[in-house]
Amino acid sequence: MNEKMAAQAANKDGFIAALDQSGGSTPKALRLYGIEEGSWSNEAEMFDLIHQMRARIIKSPAFTGDKVMGAILFEQTMDRDIDGTPTAQYLWEKRGVVPFLKIDKGLAPAADGVQLMKPMPDLDALLKRAVAKGIFGTKERSVVDAANPKGIAAIVAQQFEVGAQVLSHGLVPIIEPEVTISIADKAEAENILLAEILKQLDKVPAGQQVMLKLTLPTKANLYKPLVDHPKVMRVVALSGGYSRDEANKKLMENDGVIASFSRALTEGLSAKQSDAEFNAMLASAIDSIFEASRAR
């Protein structure tokens, strides 16, 4: 493990930029960026466009380790270059930003109020490639849609099982059991989730740590026991569909939690903006999320 990256991931003020939209969410991300469907004729062209958007963000003057602690990349982004330098290497060497990799292959059909991750038979091979490319950690997402104890126990068990596989390669997993913000029993689901995560943390081997990426909770500071847990390197929050202002406000209510925003980071950015307009908009977004994420 890169010790400088580990120190930054564990302790530095800042937030994690989630730049990991996958095939299913890419058209929406491009549409929000002002590129309509029909602007590409096949998937390869679509991924070219999203890489151009991500490269524009990463190369922007405000996108540095001063305020952006880390960035989560989609597998295709890891495999591509920025100005001739592999993306993960560019992030760390040119921008001072710790690179993470999204590893899940999407969601399985809903059962017991949750969506588990689809199987990942090629995960070991992907993790070996990630290590070779200078990736520090990974991210894996599944979804909680109801306060169903059986489903939530299954989702957390699967997350930590994959997390153990990630740790075996010397990488730090970001475990992300997202709670959908619109469900009626969100607070109850979060209480069950907290209890299940604490159970699984007890099984993490001594000397190893995971990171947790969680929906901003209904009850402020609900996840403080996780922030303070010796086996947790960092707790980060997803914006989950909240606007940037709303997400920042909720984030500030949760001590020691930092942001890992996707849509709330890129809100207002457009392919049609001049570089000056784009950079100013992104700098403003980064400043607001950084301030909300500062250790309190």
Side-chain angles (χ1 to χ4, degrees), residues 141-294:
R141 173 179 173 264
S142 42
V143 175
V144 174
D145 283 321
N148 181 311
K150 181 183 175 188
I152 293 173
I155 219 171
V156 176
Q158 184 195 40
Q159 282 278 355
F160 275 83
E161 187 181 327
V162 173
Q165 197 173 345
V166 171
L167 285 165
S168 75
H169 287 263
L171 298 164
V172 175
I174 300 178
I175 286 167
E176 183 186 10
E178 175 180 348
V179 178
T180 303
I181 64 172
S182 57
I183 60 174
D185 51 3
K186 178 173 177 280
E188 190 185 342
E190 289 165 343
N191 287 330
I192 299 167
L193 181 64
L194 172 61
E196 290 297 330
I197 291 172
L198 286 167
K199 277 188 217 168
Q200 291 292 339
L201 283 171
D202 287 341
K203 301 176 190 176
V204 174
Q208 294 192 324
Q209 288 185 309
V210 302
M211 295 174 70
L212 298 164
K213 180 168 177 173
L214 304 169
T215 303
L216 288 157
T218 301
K219 181 186 173 189
N221 277 326
L222 176 73
Y223 296 129
K224 192 72 168 66
L226 303 177
V227 173
D228 296 335
H229 200 289
K231 291 178 182 172
V232 177
M233 181 177 281
R234 210 78 182 254
V235 177
V236 306
L238 58 107
S239 51
Y242 292 121
S243 70
R244 184 188 305 138
D245 288 347
E246 228 178 335
N248 282 342
K249 183 167 174 284
K250 288 179 177 293
L251 181 63
M252 290 171 80
E253 296 169 354
N254 291 275
D255 296 342
V257 179
I258 65 170
S260 176
F261 292 171
S262 173
R263 196 177 62 77
L265 170 65
T266 58
E267 189 181 298
L269 298 179
S270 171
K272 299 173 179 67
Q273 289 165 334
S274 68
D275 285 346
E277 291 167 332
F278 179 92
N279 291 336
M281 176 72 74
L282 183 60
S284 173
I286 286 171
D287 285 348
S288 74
I289 297 167
F290 173 75
E291 289 302 329
S293 295
R294 268 182 193 250

Side-chain angles (χ1 to χ4, degrees), residues 66-122:
D66 290 342
K67 294 182 178 176
V68 183
M69 179 273 274
I72 304 168
L73 304 176
F74 179 49
E75 184 180 344
Q76 281 207 25
T77 313
M78 176 186 76
D79 289 336
R80 291 177 183 241
D81 294 352
I82 296 177
D83 293 347
T85 301
T87 304
Q89 188 182 336
Y90 188 97
L91 270 173
W92 182 242
E93 292 179 2
K94 312 272 191 195
R95 314 308 287 157
V97 173
V98 177
F100 294 83
L101 174 68
K102 169 191 162 72
I103 56 169
D104 67 82
K105 300 299 179 190
L107 301 170
D112 297 320
V114 303
Q115 283 185 278
L116 294 168
M117 294 178 283
K118 288 179 180 173
M120 293 176 260
D122 302 322

